[in-house]
Amino acid sequence: MEIYLPIADIPVNVFLVLAMGLAVGFVSGMFGVGGGFLMTPLLIFIGVQPAVAVASVTTHVAASSFSGAIAYWRRKAIDVTLVLTLLAGGIVGSIGGVALFTLLRALDQLDLMIGLSYVTLLTIVGVLMVGESARAIIRSRQGKPVELRRPGSHAWFHGLPLKVRFKRSKIYVSAIPVVAIGFIIGFLGAMMGIGGGFLLVPMLIYLLRVPTATVIGTSMVLTFLTMVSATVLHAATNHLVDAVLALILMIGGVTGAQFGAHAGARIRGEWLRLLLGLLVLAVGLRFAFDLVLRPDDLYSIRVLGRGP
Amino acid sequence: MRHAIAATLAIAGLVAAAPARAEQLITTLTNHRVLITSNYTGVELVLFGAIEHEAADPLRHGPYDIVATITAPREALRTRRKSRVLGIWVNTAARTFVDPPSYLAVLASAPLDVITNADNRRRLQLGIAGTPLPELINNDIGEVSNDPFRAALVQLMEKRGLYSEKPNAVTFLTPTLFRASIELPAQVPIGDYEVDVKLFTEGAMIAQTNSGFEIEKFGFEQFVVDTARNHGLLYGLATALMALVTGWIASVVFRRD
């Protein structure tokens, strides 16, 4: 069944898009991430303009992270103070990201920057995740206990002023690195159409030493809030959010996430991280090939708009 | 200005031809309004035409040739060229085309170079090659001959099914009755389309008609586009609310405790 997307201006097969939503939702439920880093490339692959894909996926991620956040809220696994501090940076970051997105579009370099950001970010994060989880798997094979937090190790930013006590997470750190992390996530999220969960969770765990009990819930709420603000900003400035596309994606996404969560619960943490790391790395390499290989057509067209 | 000159010449040609030949061209389309709804996947319109001449006309009639040109609203386009910079492919050069038609179909009963000579083709702006595609060059507007960017634009538009030139798309049912089908792919731009039909015999244009049709988004599609364009903030808030509701419904439906 074909349906015509009003903003993307192309007809798509509803079942194909639903299936993509389900598949990405499954992955996102399994690993506790938003799945934007998979959805945006998939949409570009089926012919949606990169700009529309990025803007519409923000809406999709908003929905899936909201349903996740509600579940964690019921379990009281969300650190509200931490969310609000991260959000302060996140909103400023979103505004910056949307502004840069608009500027790059005008300079004909948006597609390149989306590609480059994906390659850099996904390759680095993928390599780090694969390395970390592989070490954890080897350690557990040798019978040593898996250590996630190394108590007593303090990074330079632990000496910064404006210390805040985040009660539920049981941490006492400066607000400055927290706001900075929020800014980075908001900025990349708006620019690349990703929720940033796969970046935020490791940052919270390894940099801020947030315990695993509150990390996923907190990340979900922040993802949800930054993605909602990115949706509104993209709609208001670039008019690129396709509500019909977003609705089909989110219906598939929230359903798939439920099955993914079941599957994820049966796999051990370090194996889950290894799988996610490999997936992230694969998407990153896919983008790298696109940038390095000679494109089929050196020319491309961008519509500037109706003349007088 | 070019258009004005071409039109004047076309009228002059028509007037000059009129006393010798009394052919009249009558054309109609199967539909003058195409509505894009959510199940739209492209449409085909049929152009019908008849050539009438006075019975008393002593001259030999025909054989006739038809060239129908369908153009969509014009919109500025930017054609970009990638080249390799530090090992990756980057858009390094671009040209702005001021007002190329967003859809251009040239349907004819024979190859254009058989129908009429090069001079006439240029003067009447026949075919894709004859269509002016002015570019913006340092705040000046002009045509660039043998421009690779122009060739790339035409090629990319052809690939998307938006530009086409078919020398055998017009079929004569009888020596004076013809039909041609206009294929409009799913991604055609919305707006007012012009249908220009020219009648040729022995290399000279002897009659011309102009008509048109309209493609518009309808109902829900129209509403979404209007809201997104004119009330961006409101549209964004509504979309965000939709995300909230979907997320909430999912958490209620799949609640596991």
Side-chain angles (χ1 to χ4, degrees):
Chain A
M1 193 176 84
E2 299 268 315
I3 188 167
Y4 188 86
L5 301 176
I7 305 291
D9 270 337
I10 54 158
V12 291
N13 189 315
V14 182
F15 298 110
L16 176 71
V17 178
L18 259 180
M20 281 165 47
L22 273 172
V24 173
F26 184 85
V27 173
S28 74
M30 189 158 155
F31 301 116
V33 294
F37 76 98
L38 286 172
M39 188 55 94
T40 308
L42 276 176
L43 287 179
I44 296 172
F45 183 72
I46 64 161
V48 178
Q49 308 161 46
V52 176
V54 165
S56 307
V57 167
T58 56
T59 320
H60 157 72
V61 177
S64 58
S65 53
F66 185 60
S67 78
I70 292 174
Y72 284 96
W73 182 263
R74 290 204 196 103
R75 278 184 246 158
K76 297 195 167 39
I78 292 167
D79 188 326
V80 179
T81 327
L82 186 58
V83 168
L84 291 177
T85 320
L86 285 165
L87 186 65
I91 290 193
V92 181
S94 285
I95 294 171
V98 172
L100 185 64
F101 181 97
T102 313
L103 176 73
L104 288 171
R105 207 161 108 84
L107 294 175
D108 294 319
Q109 302 301 353
L110 179 67
D111 300 359
L112 171 74
M113 279 310 292
I114 290 178
L116 270 183
S117 320
Y118 265 91
V119 171
T120 326
L121 204 66
L122 298 188
T123 317
I124 293 174
V125 174
V127 167
L128 287 177
M129 286 180 83
V130 170
E132 182 273 330
S133 52
R135 274 196 303 276
I137 290 167
I138 292 167
R139 265 201 307 272
S140 69
R141 281 278 162 91
Q142 290 167 344
K144 289 176 192 163
V146 181
E147 47 170 330
L148 260 183
R149 300 175 77 190
R150 277 167 297 167
S153 63
H154 277 236
W156 57 271
F157 56 77
H158 285 102
L160 288 174
L162 285 171
K163 288 225 170 195
V164 182
R165 190 172 296 284
F166 298 99
K167 276 184 197 142
R168 195 158 276 170
S169 299
K170 301 185 187 77
I171 53 167
Y172 183 59
V173 286
S174 160
I176 295 168
V178 182
V179 171
I181 289 175
F183 179 86
I184 293 168
I185 299 296
F187 187 85
L188 293 176
M191 250 288 296
M192 297 167 63
I194 54 174
F198 73 101
L199 284 176
L200 182 60
V201 172
M203 278 178 166
L204 292 181
I205 292 176
Y206 298 116
L207 297 179
L208 299 181
R209 311 254 179 269
V210 176
T212 33
T214 53
V215 75
I216 302 276
T218 304
S219 149
M220 284 266 184
V221 178
L222 182 78
T223 304
F224 157 66
L225 292 171
T226 48
M227 287 293 102
V228 164
S229 59
T231 295
V232 176
L233 288 169
H234 270 304
T237 55
N238 293 311
H239 313 294
L240 290 172
V241 179
D242 196 308
V244 177
L245 176 62
L247 183 64
I248 306 172
L249 289 179
M250 60 179 81
I251 290 172
V254 293
T255 316
Q258 304 300 324
F259 298 104
H262 279 293
R266 284 194 225 114
I267 305 176
R268 306 229 347 229
E270 56 269 29
W271 282 102
L272 215 50
R273 290 203 300 279
L274 180 67
L275 284 176
L276 179 60
L278 288 172
L279 193 62
V280 167
L281 197 57
V283 178
L285 289 177
R286 172 77 180 69
F287 270 89
F289 281 126
D290 278 354
L291 286 175
V292 176
L293 296 182
R294 187 190 163 89
D296 292 338
D297 201 332
L298 293 181
Y299 290 89
S300 59
I301 299 179
R302 182 164 69 89
V303 176
L304 298 175
R306 295 273 158 101
Chain B
M1 196 57 204
R2 280 186 87 98
H3 297 281
I5 293 170
T8 317
L9 285 173
I11 292 163
L14 200 61
V15 170
R21 297 189 172 271
E23 277 89 351
Q24 233 192 328
L25 185 59
I26 305 126
T27 56
T28 186
L29 289 164
T30 43
N31 196 351
H32 288 275
R33 198 153 166 255
V34 176
L35 300 178
I36 295 187
T37 51
S38 51
N39 56 6
Y40 178 77
T41 53
V43 75
E44 187 184 348
L45 293 185
V46 180
L47 169 77
F48 280 106
I51 303 153
E52 282 198 343
H53 46 74
E54 287 166 33
D57 193 342
L59 287 167
R60 191 175 63 89
H61 305 295
Y64 298 112
D65 275 311
I66 292 289
V67 179
T69 310
I70 298 99
T71 43
R74 291 163 187 279
E75 53 188 10
L77 284 179
R78 216 166 149 73
T79 306
R80 307 168 296 188
R81 182 171 59 201
K82 284 194 172 74
S83 60
R84 204 168 204 155
V85 178
L86 301 171
I88 58 170
W89 292 90
V90 183
N91 288 328
T92 46
R95 296 279 187 282
T96 303
F97 289 85
V98 189
D99 61 349
S102 45
Y103 174 87
L104 174 66
V106 181
L107 311 173
S109 54
L112 296 180
D113 52 354
V114 172
I115 293 176
T116 186
N117 60 31
D119 202 31
N120 275 337
R121 289 202 300 275
R122 196 175 54 247
R123 191 166 54 81
L124 298 168
Q125 304 187 346
L126 282 192
I128 294 175
T131 305
L133 296 171
E135 294 176 32
L136 190 68
I137 311 149
N138 304 326
N139 297 323
D140 223 359
I141 293 170
E143 282 270 341
V144 185
S145 50
N146 294 327
D147 181 23
F149 284 90
R150 182 200 151 110
L153 170 74
V154 169
Q155 203 194 351
L156 285 168
M157 295 297 265
E158 281 175 343
K159 214 163 137 189
R160 294 185 191 180
L162 294 173
Y163 279 20
S164 60
E165 189 171 311
K166 293 175 191 154
N168 48 10
V170 178
T171 34
F172 276 93
L173 307 169
T174 73
T176 57
L177 197 64
F178 62 88
R179 79 183 285 279
S181 69
I182 303 166
E183 280 162 35
L184 298 163
Q187 64 273 26
V188 289
I190 55 166
D192 291 319
Y193 282 62
E194 285 168 25
V195 180
D196 167 88
V197 184
K198 290 185 171 77
L199 174 65
F200 289 84
T201 188
E202 286 156 12
M205 189 181 82
I206 53 168
Q208 185 181 19
T209 60
N210 279 301
S211 57
F213 59 92
E214 186 186 4
I215 298 186
E216 56 180 334
K217 290 188 182 172
F218 184 68
F220 177 69
E221 307 290 306
Q222 174 65 33
F223 171 74
V224 171
V225 174
D226 277 353
T227 320
R229 295 256 160 80
N230 306 327
H231 311 280
L233 185 63
L234 201 69
Y235 176 83
L237 291 173
T239 323
L241 189 70
M242 177 178 86
L244 285 188
V245 173
T246 314
W248 177 73
I249 290 174
S251 83
V252 171
V253 171
F254 297 107
R255 189 168 180 166
R256 289 188 305 254
D257 49 45

